[in-house]
Amino acid sequence: MAKELENKAKEAFLDDDFALAVDYYSEAINLDPNNPLLFADRAQAHIKLQNFTEAVSDANKAIQLNPSLAKAYLRKGTACIKLEEYHTAKVALQTGASFAPDDSRFTKLIQDCDRYIAEESNDFASTLLPTTPAGNGSHSIARSIETTKEAERDSLVPQINEVATSRPKFRHEYYQRPEEVVVTIFAKGIPSDNVVVDFGEQIMSVTIAVPGQESYRYQQRLFGKIIPDRCRVVVLSTKVEIRLAKAEALNWTSLEYSKDVLPQKINTQTSQPERPTYPSSKPRTKDWDKLEALMKKEEKEERLDGDAALNKLFRDIYQNADEDMRRAMSKSFLESNGTVLSTDWKEVGSKKVESSPPQGLELKKWEY
């Protein structure tokens, strides 16, 4: 069934019906979610529809499933170029070229990235020089190129926002410090394995798998550039906290990119440390530090029942134990097939811990 849907998607793609191709690929992925080719091909359809952030997300998923799939890197590089993520695009293309050294498309796109990166450096340098009279032809061409780039960026922003705000399931907010932006998604009780966050130079893609529901997706072109290698994700019982390392000490007036707002540098030479700034449309302010402390207290005092309470008790004991206690707990639990849990290393360290099933139950060994 998944193969039939894949063939229909390819036919729709050849007929230039890219939206229908995306629908067929999505149905095929639901039936075969571990097929990297489906994600890579859907990424190409997204590129044709100019849904570049979704294309990057699909390419990342394909790479995760098959790290040697060359065309997944090609899709990611192409989409990142459209998003002006030239450094990220170049890294992806160079990796893909190592798996397909005879594919000239990688060479051409890498050269394009080098050219765009050089243009960005020249544009930045030109802002530091005095302007010349309007009659200078080279500056007229430069202004024309810049106008074209801004028009392309304008066309991307509504699409990115449309993707980011489609069917939201969780509330999110952010605050910032001079060196980082902290994004909080209030998703309660989500296992860490269900959360996938991808970072680019100026893009963040969040996918949260929700059992029994469609996955929550939040993809956004960010207000400023970040350092992907220094970004961190922390999954707690009541929320997902994403810490974005700023590439520059700029004041983010919003989380999303906007060409109409000029970034302002933060003065970090202050005598007193600045408190994080929390954007809010309400006239009155909240004591966010107090609220955070209250939430941590609630997490600590949260009362659980049944197996959840027992597991929490064991986790607390293990977390607060010394090295010998942890060794004793691990050894006794494994050797007894989960029927004994001891914290006394002196007792269990020198002998094998025998299984001790509860009264009325019998221990059986399974043969493979």
Side-chain angles (χ1 to χ4, degrees):
M1 185 64 180
K3 188 63 178 178
E4 294 177 6
L5 291 169
E6 181 182 4
N7 292 334
K8 289 182 179 180
K10 290 179 178 179
E11 291 176 4
F13 188 93
L14 292 175
D15 292 336
D16 291 341
D17 193 346
F18 306 119
L20 181 61
V22 168
D23 291 338
Y24 279 134
Y25 279 127
S26 298
E27 292 180 25
I29 287 172
N30 288 335
L31 297 175
D32 190 6
N34 295 319
N35 188 337
L37 295 175
L38 294 177
F39 285 98
D41 290 341
R42 189 173 70 173
Q44 177 68 351
H46 277 309
I47 291 173
K48 292 293 186 180
L49 292 170
Q50 297 188 354
N51 296 334
F52 302 121
T53 54
E54 291 203 346
V56 172
S57 179
D58 276 351
N60 283 333
K61 183 63 177 179
I63 291 169
Q64 179 184 349
L65 293 171
N66 184 359
S68 62
L69 185 61
K71 71 176 179 180
Y73 294 98
L74 184 65
R75 306 289 186 256
K76 181 176 181 179
T78 303
C80 285
I81 288 175
K82 294 295 185 180
L83 291 170
E84 299 181 16
E85 299 274 341
Y86 303 128
H87 291 279
T88 303
K90 183 177 178 180
V91 172
L93 292 167
Q94 288 175 332
T95 305
S98 67
F99 296 115
D102 297 330
D103 194 333
S104 61
R105 292 175 296 177
F106 286 104
T107 304
K108 181 181 180 303
L109 290 174
I110 290 172
Q111 291 173 349
D112 289 343
C113 287
D114 290 334
R115 185 174 72 255
Y116 292 138
I117 291 170
E119 287 178 1
E120 276 191 340
S121 301
N122 293 336
D123 289 343
F124 177 77
S126 65
T127 61
L128 304 178
L129 300 175
T131 57
T132 59
N136 189 309
S138 61
H139 284 279
S140 298
I141 295 173
R143 285 194 297 272
S144 176
I145 293 173
E146 185 62 24
T147 302
T148 303
K149 285 186 176 181
E150 289 188 5
E152 291 177 356
R153 287 195 294 263
D154 292 345
S155 67
L156 293 178
V157 172
Q159 297 165 3
I160 294 173
N161 288 336
E162 181 180 353
V163 173
T165 58
S166 61
R167 292 192 293 274
K169 293 184 177 67
F170 303 118
R171 180 172 61 89
H172 73 273
E173 61 184 30
Y174 81 98
Y175 67 87
Q176 64 178 307
R177 297 187 176 95
E179 72 282 357
E180 69 175 358
V181 175
V182 181
V183 182
T184 302
I185 300 176
F186 293 94
K188 187 175 182 179
I190 301 295
S192 58
D193 293 341
N194 289 21
V195 180
V196 178
V197 184
D198 295 312
F199 303 104
E201 290 176 80
Q202 200 171 345
I203 190 172
M204 177 183 69
S205 174
V206 182
T207 303
I208 301 177
V210 183
Q213 302 181 37
E214 291 186 18
S215 295
Y216 167 84
R217 298 182 185 276
Y218 180 81
Q219 300 174 10
Q220 195 60 259
R221 185 178 182 187
L222 301 170
F223 182 86
K225 291 190 175 183
I226 60 175
I227 307 173
D229 293 341
R230 290 174 52 190
C231 296
R232 295 181 292 120
V233 180
V234 180
V235 181
L236 303 173
S237 61
T238 57
K239 61 185 178 180
V240 177
E241 192 173 85
I242 305 168
R243 295 184 174 270
L244 305 173
K246 293 181 181 179
E248 298 180 272
L250 300 177
N251 179 41
W252 289 25
T253 57
S254 67
L255 188 58
E256 300 83 12
Y257 169 81
S258 174
K259 77 177 187 65
D260 298 325
V261 180
L262 294 176
Q264 298 178 350
K265 287 202 171 185
I266 299 175
N267 182 15
T268 56
Q269 296 179 350
T270 55
S271 57
Q272 296 180 349
E274 295 182 1
R275 290 171 59 87
T277 57
Y278 298 81
S280 175
S281 59
K282 296 183 179 180
R284 58 183 182 179
T285 59
K286 292 183 179 180
D287 188 343
W288 292 99
D289 292 334
K290 182 178 179 181
L291 182 60
E292 183 178 4
L294 181 61
M295 291 180 64
K296 289 182 178 179
K297 182 179 179 182
E298 289 178 355
E299 290 177 8
K300 186 176 181 180
E301 297 178 352
E302 183 179 10
R303 295 189 176 184
L304 302 173
D305 298 323
D307 291 341
L310 187 61
N311 288 334
K312 183 177 184 302
L313 174 62
F314 291 155
R315 284 198 304 269
D316 291 343
I317 294 175
Y318 190 85
Q319 182 177 2
N320 298 323
D322 58 26
E323 187 63 27
D324 284 344
M325 290 179 64
R326 292 184 178 183
R327 291 165 63 193
M329 293 176 70
S330 299
K331 184 175 186 297
S332 61
F333 189 81
L334 292 174
E335 292 183 352
S336 69
N337 297 305
T339 60
V340 176
L341 185 64
S342 173
T343 59
D344 190 350
W345 177 248
K346 293 181 179 179
E347 178 185 356
V348 301
S350 58
K351 64 179 182 180
K352 181 179 180 181
V353 181
E354 300 295 335
S355 300
S356 178
Q359 185 176 1
L361 297 179
E362 180 182 355
L363 183 70
K364 290 186 176 181
K365 293 184 177 181
W366 294 94
E367 297 182 358
Y368 295 93

